[in-house]
Amino acid sequence: TSTIALLPGSRRREIELILPLQLDIARRIRRSHPSRFFAVAAPDIDVALIRRVYEKWQRSRGANLELNIKQGPIEKLLPKADCAMIKSGTTTLQAMVLGIPFVMLDRMSQLSYCLLRPFVHTKTYCLANLVSGENIVREYIQGAANPDVVSRYIVELLRSPERLSAMKQKLKTASKRLGTKDVSTEAADEIVKLVENTRT
């Protein structure tokens, strides 16, 4: 049985959009691969919010998917997972440093996406990929975040110890590029570089 972590973000609106998507993917994974799931509540998020979104999803889907909800340091919780589904953000860097295979998911309102997209000139939204300089992690944004597509990829990954091991090694190698400085500081530096590059 594989253990999969769901990290839906650190803001209420993000969680309301991303967690149901992650649960839809989890439901499909469980149909073809023995799995258990836990959601990680960010430090500033009330666990009750995660539970409300989860219970609303259960009612709307008529689904009986067991989900444990945990709150605590990422560095202690993520290593309990074989892989993870993570909302875009600095948490992707934490997963990279920990060497935890993951996919990055992001979805926003269509209006917000249409307004922001013309100003984003980058081939990657994932900070782990940005730091590594290569596409180690699969990114699923907006319409590409299709539950059938994502679940198939995750099941294929979980069924291949070789692919999992290779991804872990690539993530650990990429994490060395962060040096000895604080991960958040390095992430900020990389974002600044990215923004500066989009202006040139």
Side-chain angles (χ1 to χ4, degrees):
T1 301
S2 300
T3 301
I4 303 169
L6 281 55
L7 287 79
S10 57
R11 293 189 286 272
R12 182 184 65 82
R13 185 56 180 157
E14 287 179 348
I15 292 166
E16 290 174 345
L17 284 170
I18 300 298
L19 184 57
L21 170 63
Q22 292 177 330
L23 292 168
D24 283 341
I25 295 167
R27 186 184 182 190
R28 286 163 172 76
I29 291 171
R30 195 184 62 172
R31 289 174 183 166
S32 56
H33 185 80
S35 310
R36 54 176 171 259
F37 307 90
F38 69 89
V40 178
D44 296 332
I45 291 295
D46 189 343
V47 169
L49 170 62
I50 302 283
R51 191 167 301 282
R52 284 197 301 273
V53 175
Y54 164 57
E55 290 174 349
K56 180 180 178 181
W57 174 85
Q58 281 189 307
R59 291 192 299 271
S60 67
R61 301 293 191 275
N64 184 27
L65 180 78
E66 184 176 347
L67 178 73
N68 291 318
I69 302 172
K70 303 176 182 289
Q71 191 165 44
I74 291 291
E75 61 271 19
K76 290 186 177 180
L77 293 176
L78 260 188
K80 299 178 185 294
D82 296 297
C83 74
M85 291 183 260
I86 302 179
K87 163 75 174 63
S88 65
T90 54
T91 308
T92 65
L93 285 180
Q94 292 174 291
M96 181 184 75
V97 170
L98 293 168
I100 307 300
F102 69 96
V103 298
M104 193 207 80
L105 302 167
D106 207 347
R107 183 179 281 177
M108 62 185 73
S109 72
Q110 195 59 34
L111 176 60
S112 296
Y113 181 76
C114 290
L115 289 173
L116 290 173
R117 187 66 188 91
F119 301 99
V120 179
H121 305 286
T122 176
K123 294 181 179 180
T124 178
Y125 292 84
C126 180
L127 291 176
N129 286 341
L130 181 63
V131 170
S132 70
E134 62 176 306
N135 292 326
I136 299 173
V137 176
R138 289 281 183 95
E139 304 177 36
Y140 297 96
I141 310 295
Q142 288 299 101
N146 178 289
D148 290 323
V149 173
V150 182
S151 62
R152 276 198 301 270
Y153 171 72
I154 292 175
V155 169
E156 289 171 2
L157 193 61
L158 291 171
R159 287 178 175 173
S160 174
E162 295 81 10
R163 289 176 66 180
L164 277 175
S165 179
M167 182 180 284
K168 288 178 182 179
Q169 188 56 52
K170 284 187 175 183
L171 290 170
K172 288 178 180 178
T173 299
S175 72
K176 294 176 183 177
R177 297 188 63 176
L178 292 173
T180 57
K181 293 188 351 182
D182 177 77
V183 169
S184 297
T185 302
E186 278 288 346
D189 289 345
E190 293 294 337
I191 292 169
V192 169
K193 290 176 187 175
L194 174 62
V195 172
E196 288 176 347
N197 288 337
T198 62
R199 291 175 177 172
T200 58

